Amino acid sequence: MRTSKLLLGLGAAALSLACSLAHAQVVKLSTTMGDIKVQLDPEKAPKTVANFVAYVKAGHYNGVIFHRVIDGFMIQTGGYTPDLKQKPTKAPIPLEAGNGLMNIRGSIAMARTGDPNSATSQFFINVVDNPGLDPGYASDGRGYAVFGYVTEGMDVVDKIREVQTSKSPKNPAFQNLPNTPILINKATVEK
């Protein structure tokens, strides 16, 4: 009751923020370099968050590697095992860029191909502000859908972004592969 009076006193913006946080989910990515916690925003990216959480709950991210690490840009994961085999995915989801969430340092966004509606399981964490990935600024004008932000573990993200990478000798499609595999051991929904 005391909280509701306080929120009423602060106005509609505070109430909206409180409701948004109450429905937000936190996912913990336990990696070989430490834990990263991301708070998801289902209000602004409902389909993307539902898709991501479904993959987490199915255990899809357990044992995948960070297969694209570019210091000064982003770290990407969600699709490949340490032997560079792609994990099977569900059907792609529609692009939810333009939802007001921006590709800033610490944001988590869906990876996709040139087709804006092609995101499945792969995602990336921006290690710097990347306005060129936002709608209107991206090369295709559509952008990349941000669906949450790192709340704990940016030090781990920074450790990952600083690792040495090279082109894979087994598969030249992997241009920025960490020399020592970095895995998500387990991804879990915390709330």
Side-chain angles (χ1 to χ4, degrees):
M1 178 125 175
R2 187 173 175 198
T3 304
S4 0
K5 284 182 181 177
L6 175 64
L7 288 174
L8 287 173
L10 294 175
L15 185 59
S16 173
L17 176 61
C19 289
S20 178
L21 293 176
H23 293 97
Q25 291 179 295
V26 174
V27 168
K28 180 169 135 183
L29 305 172
S30 297
T31 79
T32 51
M33 295 190 81
D35 294 344
I36 302 167
K37 287 188 181 181
V38 286
Q39 184 160 348
L40 309 178
D41 193 330
E43 185 178 304
K44 293 193 175 175
K47 292 176 184 167
T48 307
V49 167
N51 177 69
F52 181 72
V53 169
Y55 277 111
V56 170
K57 288 182 175 178
H60 178 87
Y61 296 123
N62 302 345
V64 298
I65 59 168
F66 284 86
H67 65 274
R68 189 171 177 227
V69 172
I70 304 173
D71 190 11
F73 185 41
M74 58 88 215
I75 61 174
Q76 184 172 331
T77 185
Y80 296 93
T81 60
D83 58 358
L84 303 181
K85 294 218 171 17
Q86 187 168 10
K87 291 185 94 172
T89 61
K90 300 179 295 171
I93 58 170
L95 180 67
E96 287 186 310
N99 59 17
L101 303 176
M102 310 304 277
N103 282 280
I104 60 172
R105 176 173 159 77
S107 60
I108 181 172
M110 291 306 293
R112 63 175 177 81
T113 66
D115 174 358
N117 299 306
S118 62
T120 55
S121 66
Q122 291 187 40
F123 63 93
F124 60 92
I125 299 172
N126 288 290
V127 300
V128 296
D129 292 352
N130 284 314
L133 299 180
D134 292 329
Y137 297 98
S139 59
D140 66 359
R142 303 292 300 275
Y144 291 77
V146 172
F147 60 99
Y149 295 94
V150 173
T151 55
E152 291 179 39
M154 273 308 289
D155 58 326
V156 175
V157 171
D158 287 334
K159 281 195 284 187
I160 294 170
R161 78 179 176 128
E162 293 171 352
V163 301
Q164 290 189 352
T165 62
S166 59
K167 187 165 137 181
S168 169
K170 295 178 185 176
N171 186 336
F174 294 89
Q175 299 287 316
N176 306 98
L177 187 68
N179 293 344
T180 301
I182 302 165
L183 284 82
I184 295 176
N185 291 321
K186 186 167 184 144
T188 52
V189 177
E190 293 214 316
K191 77 171 196 180

